[in-house]
Amino acid sequence: MFKFKNEKRELKRIIEAILLVAYEPVKTVAIKKVLNKSSDTIEKIIKELQEEYRKEDRGFQLKKVSGGYRFYTHHDCRDYIEKFFTSTIRGYFSQAALEVLAIIVYNQPVSRITINEIRGVRSESVISTLLSKRLIEKASKGFGPGHPILYKTTPLFLESFGLNSLKDLPPIEKFSEDIKNETHSKEENRYLNIINTKDGNRYLNVIAIDGPAGSGKSTISKELSRKLKFFYLYTGAMYRTLAYLALKREVNLYDEKALTDLTIDSPIEIENDAEHNSIIKIDGEDVTNKIFTNEVSDASSKIAIYKGIRKVLSEKQREICEKGKIVVEGRDATTVVCPDAIVKIFLYATPEERAKRRVKQLIEMGQEPPKFNELLKQIKERDERDKNREIAPLIKTEDSIYIDSTNLTVSQVVEKIINIYRKKTYVI
Ligand code: DC
């Protein structure tokens, strides 16, 4: 495994250094890219590091979270760490404080009402905290009804963030292409990636839709994403693309290791066109039209059972969800990919209704539908298989909202979900 005596020690030091500087949990694949060592070797070294820290009873530990590794301070040091942060000027900034600060920085002088509008939640207490920390101050009174107080940043803000002047800040377009290109209304723009709710919980600004095959997940998700101007993430397309690649490169569909390696090495890109249809690219080549053949459908359901593949694809999907403003759809969207979505839906339709919809769809596509009873039998059998399968089984999580779409139109279902979303995010 190791070429020379000190190689392991050297690798250990490098991995330790990477983990130390990373902002987010570091996945084994990321280290693999740097070190050119197998995942097994890297995992083994990380395990050893964990064990060393544990044995030495250090003030921190190395934990596995969100599929990666990250240093955490030991819980018995918590009080001191909190004290340390609150006693320094930059202190501990909550997500809310950073949001308000960013809004003021880029819009100053700005009123409380505008800040509330941009964030979509009341920000009075955060503004008071920032005032008390002397990071912002009252600028002047604005125009308009009541002459609202306007806020701006202070010289202490510049000092605390290591800036000479506000000109040192990057132009907002530089790190927010999205905002530059937004044509949405103000209300739609309120939501970025994280939503803090009244109960103090934090959710991703994501609508996750799960449910049995043929329940209308794709149709509903696409329409919903169009209406909300969200990104439509069709997870099934990724399984399909991988299956297409496996067939093209003649990878054995039963060789889990080879398929997992293919998943790791394949840069699958998923985009939306203007109509929010999914566009799939591999190495820049558009393969969207190639992934819906019967052969690919069949292969995708075969490869979707492998843990390794699911892990890599779910991680990619999760990364996309973390950007917020996403409608994610697929078997495991609510359970694995985005359990902290602000809205989780379990979309159902009776097997009879799903069989009817499938017949209609095949006729529209100019294909000969199978006998109705045969189709119904297949659907019921597939439901049973899906419910009982070991990996990513079809289940409704406790906090998912059940929608039976059997007697509803597409727009009725979409409206229902939008209402749920608005209620949850306190927008009327
Ligand atoms: O939704 P679809 O039929 O296009 O999905 C293609 C295949 O991938 C299907 O067999 C189900 C599987 N799949 C999965 O296992 N998990 C997902 N999140 C999405 C799809």
Side-chain angles (χ1 to χ4, degrees):
M1 189 185 284
F2 301 107
K3 287 199 203 100
F4 50 91
K5 209 169 124 223
N6 288 329
E7 190 188 0
K8 189 164 142 196
R9 182 77 222 133
E10 193 60 24
L11 289 173
K12 222 182 227 185
R13 294 178 68 236
I14 298 169
I15 293 174
E16 201 171 38
I18 292 174
L19 293 170
L20 185 71
V21 295
Y23 290 107
E24 291 178 339
V26 181
K27 292 177 182 131
T28 317
V29 277
I31 301 178
K32 195 175 158 188
K33 278 189 197 148
V34 180
L35 288 183
N36 210 10
K37 288 280 161 195
S38 74
S39 300
D40 281 353
T41 307
I42 294 165
E43 290 272 348
K44 195 163 168 267
I45 292 179
I46 293 177
K47 292 259 147 38
E48 283 187 23
L49 281 172
Q50 283 178 316
E51 193 49 25
E52 280 172 26
Y53 302 139
R54 198 189 58 75
K55 270 198 192 141
E56 290 171 16
D57 196 20
R58 308 291 282 261
F60 57 85
Q61 49 193 327
L62 191 51
K63 278 196 190 174
K64 190 162 193 182
V65 278
S66 311
Y69 292 91
R70 185 178 181 173
F71 283 119
Y72 282 88
T73 51
H74 216 285
H75 55 82
D76 54 16
C77 305
R78 206 182 73 184
D79 290 350
Y80 299 98
I81 288 163
E82 265 177 19
K83 251 192 220 161
F84 168 76
F85 273 109
T86 44
S87 64
T88 60
I89 178 62
R90 282 171 76 162
Y92 168 77
F93 288 104
S94 63
Q95 177 74 22
L98 287 173
E99 274 173 26
V100 171
L101 210 44
I103 292 168
I104 297 176
V105 166
Y106 284 100
N107 297 279
Q108 54 190 315
V110 58
S111 72
R112 178 183 50 79
I113 296 164
T114 309
I115 297 170
N116 284 349
E117 251 185 28
I118 297 175
R119 287 189 70 223
V121 286
R122 295 174 69 102
S123 308
E124 280 72 3
S125 66
V126 186
I127 293 174
S128 321
T129 310
L130 293 174
L131 281 168
S132 71
K133 287 193 172 189
R134 293 185 294 125
L135 293 168
I136 61 168
E137 61 190 355
K138 291 174 187 171
S140 58
K141 293 215 169 181
F143 299 108
H147 298 282
I149 296 169
L150 302 177
Y151 297 97
K152 63 173 186 174
T153 52
T154 60
L156 187 59
F157 161 80
L158 292 176
E159 195 186 303
S160 311
F161 284 81
L163 300 164
N164 282 325
S165 89
L166 286 172
K167 288 196 192 106
D168 290 352
L169 284 163
I172 198 152
E173 305 82 41
K174 203 166 176 170
F175 53 87
S176 183
E177 279 302 309
D178 274 1
I179 291 174
K180 196 170 78 178
N181 297 328
E182 287 290 15
T183 50
H184 308 167
S185 72
K186 220 171 192 179
E187 182 180 282
E188 285 152 352
N189 264 336
R190 281 177 180 180
Y191 300 102
L192 296 170
N193 58 342
I194 287 176
I195 294 175
N196 296 299
T197 55
K198 272 186 187 158
D199 55 14
N201 287 328
R202 300 174 84 210
Y203 297 94
L204 281 182
N205 188 12
V206 170
I207 301 179
I209 304 193
D210 227 309
S215 57
K217 295 193 292 290
S218 297
T219 314
I220 299 296
S221 302
K222 203 195 298 176
E223 189 54 27
L224 192 59
S225 71
R226 249 186 238 155
K227 288 231 158 161
L228 292 172
K229 299 195 171 64
F230 276 22
F231 183 83
Y232 165 45
L233 176 55
Y234 168 30
T235 57
M238 292 194 174
Y239 290 90
R240 287 178 177 272
T241 307
L242 197 67
Y244 161 76
L245 264 186
L247 292 170
K248 191 173 159 198
R249 299 196 188 160
E250 296 181 352
V251 177
N252 181 346
L253 296 184
Y254 297 95
D255 185 343
E256 181 171 1
K257 166 93 179 60
L259 288 166
T260 307
D261 287 345
L262 182 67
T263 319
I264 293 168
D265 296 337
S266 306
I268 300 174
E269 293 159 57
I270 185 156
E271 298 169 6
N272 278 184
D273 68 8
E275 294 298 304
H276 289 230
N277 296 302
S278 297
I279 307 294
I280 319 296
K281 291 183 180 166
I282 312 170
D283 281 330
E285 183 202 346
D286 186 343
V287 294
T288 315
N289 291 332
K290 299 177 179 159
I291 61 168
F292 292 98
T293 63
N294 282 339
E295 197 189 11
V296 171
S297 296
D298 189 48
S300 63
S301 84
K302 282 189 182 133
I303 62 156
I305 61 164
Y306 296 123
K307 262 192 195 147
I309 294 177
R310 298 203 72 87
K311 189 163 173 276
V312 179
L313 291 187
S314 310
E315 276 169 13
K316 281 190 188 175
Q317 292 155 9
R318 170 75 190 175
E319 265 170 35
I320 299 176
C321 286
E322 279 176 3
K323 295 187 177 128
K325 298 177 96 175
I326 308 281
V327 178
V328 57
E329 163 245 316
R331 172 74 40 74
D332 74 356
T334 58
T335 50
V336 178
V337 179
C338 205
D340 49 352
I342 183 85
V343 171
K344 294 198 265 181
I345 304 287
F346 188 88
L347 194 61
Y348 177 79
T350 59
E352 288 74 11
E353 174 64 19
R354 284 186 273 147
K356 263 196 243 165
R357 290 179 189 170
R358 181 76 184 138
V359 168
K360 190 166 166 255
Q361 188 188 35
L362 287 171
I363 293 172
E364 277 168 8
M365 285 160 65
Q367 292 179 26
E368 175 88 12
K371 284 207 176 80
F372 186 82
N373 281 341
E374 191 48 44
L375 191 58
L376 186 59
K377 190 166 156 253
Q378 277 173 17
I379 289 175
K380 286 182 175 170
E381 280 171 2
R382 186 166 172 190
D383 279 359
E384 275 315 299
R385 258 203 323 271
D386 285 352
K387 270 188 238 168
N388 297 317
R389 76 184 194 192
E390 194 193 330
I391 296 183
L394 176 64
I395 43 165
K396 178 194 160 307
T397 63
E398 241 175 49
D399 53 352
S400 290
I401 296 163
Y402 182 88
I403 297 183
D404 183 349
S405 71
T406 307
N407 297 310
L408 298 176
T409 63
V410 170
S411 45
Q412 281 172 327
V413 177
V414 169
E415 272 318 299
K416 244 180 197 290
I417 300 176
I418 290 180
N419 282 336
I420 294 167
Y421 176 77
R422 291 207 194 291
K423 271 196 194 133
K424 285 241 179 184
T425 53
Y426 305 111
V427 186
I428 308 305

